[in-house]
Amino acid sequence: MFLDAEEYEKLIYDGSGFIGAGESKMQQWMIFFVEHDKSWTPMFSSALQDLAHKFGGDIQIAVVNSRVEEELTLAYEVYQSPRGFFIDKEGVAHVFTPVVPELNKTVEWIENREFKHSPLRFKAPPLQNKAKLYWSYVKKEVRTWYKANLRDKVEHYLRKVKFSYIVDMDPMDFKEINNLNTKTDRQLIFILAGVWWIIESIWDLLSAPAQ
């Protein structure tokens, strides 16, 4: 099924929180954010149809057009497509690490509960209101720029000094990573704090009375 903001609030998250799926409210979801004009979209659609047939309704399969459904896309902090999430019965969204929903790998990922080691997990979020939407834009732009221009260089030195509080020592060890963005955000905070300290020190130096 194609999922838009209205259907999301009706089927997955209303004003009071996660509501599940189906009559029992205990069914699970797989949501995939895609761009419909990409060359890989037909292959992706075929794979999702196979999954829907395999799960037979026990797990609801949904597709979100990431270019159109901006509020929903930013709520899940999807900055690049394709990106998938598995939402369990408790309403926790786990990023789908295999990326491409190949039938056997996806079934194995779910049945073996490999999603419990997903590097990005959070409660299924509500849609963004206007204030949160603007903040999401800011986070997206800052994170995207930092990852493209500085993160690799910064993390190289952080790993050398084993500063594990703000860098994942092994970025592929998903069992040790709880949130892909947490360490990146900490790095940004440390950098901003350092820049502020330098500016403040220079200001204090320049504004100090002459002896």
Side-chain angles (χ1 to χ4, degrees):
M1 66 176 290
F2 289 101
L3 191 69
D4 59 18
E6 183 178 349
E7 289 295 306
Y8 182 80
E9 289 191 315
K10 185 187 301 181
L11 297 173
I12 299 179
Y13 195 108
D14 63 9
S16 59
F18 178 70
I19 55 178
E23 294 181 1
S24 66
K25 305 298 184 187
M26 292 298 288
Q27 290 167 310
Q28 302 162 105
W29 284 88
M30 290 200 77
I31 300 177
F32 290 90
F33 294 83
V34 302
E35 297 176 28
H36 288 182
D37 59 348
K38 295 294 185 180
S39 59
W40 44 259
T41 301
M43 177 194 69
F44 217 84
S45 298
S46 177
L48 294 182
Q49 289 174 12
D50 291 341
L51 283 176
H53 179 74
K54 169 66 178 178
F55 293 129
D58 291 333
I59 298 177
Q60 300 290 311
I61 308 295
V63 176
V64 177
N65 187 338
S66 58
R67 288 190 176 180
V68 175
E69 298 298 329
E70 194 172 42
E71 291 177 71
L72 188 50
T73 301
L74 287 175
Y76 278 81
E77 298 187 342
V78 174
Y79 303 151
Q80 187 174 8
S81 299
R83 173 64 65 87
F85 291 90
F86 172 69
I87 304 178
D88 63 24
K89 294 177 181 179
E90 286 72 43
V92 177
H94 310 259
V95 70
F96 181 63
T97 49
V99 183
V100 178
E102 191 272 325
L103 181 61
N104 293 332
K105 285 185 178 180
T106 304
V107 171
E108 181 180 308
W109 187 78
I110 293 174
E111 291 184 347
N112 293 344
R113 301 181 68 79
E114 293 178 26
F115 60 85
K116 289 292 186 180
H117 302 301
S118 168
L120 181 59
R121 303 186 294 275
F122 50 83
K123 282 288 187 181
L127 292 179
Q128 304 279 284
N129 58 34
K130 281 191 176 182
K132 288 185 177 180
L133 192 60
Y134 290 134
W135 174 237
S136 294
Y137 282 130
V138 172
K139 287 195 295 182
K140 176 183 177 181
E141 293 303 319
V142 171
R143 285 172 174 169
T144 301
W145 183 89
Y146 177 69
K147 289 176 182 179
N149 296 280
L150 287 179
R151 188 177 68 174
D152 288 346
K153 298 173 185 176
V154 171
E155 289 189 345
H156 171 73
Y157 292 104
L158 290 174
R159 290 192 179 99
K160 275 192 171 183
V161 297
K162 298 183 179 180
F163 196 179
S164 59
Y165 179 71
I166 62 174
V167 68
D168 295 308
M169 301 309 295
D170 181 357
M172 299 306 294
D173 186 2
F174 294 158
K175 292 183 180 180
E176 297 297 325
I177 301 174
N178 292 321
N179 190 316
L180 284 171
N181 292 321
T182 297
K183 298 294 178 74
T184 296
D185 291 345
R186 287 176 183 172
Q187 291 168 28
L188 287 166
I189 291 170
F190 267 76
I191 290 171
L192 291 173
V195 170
W196 178 259
W197 177 79
I198 291 171
I199 292 173
E200 189 176 37
S201 298
I202 293 174
W203 176 260
D204 289 343
L205 183 64
L206 294 176
S207 60
Q211 297 294 327

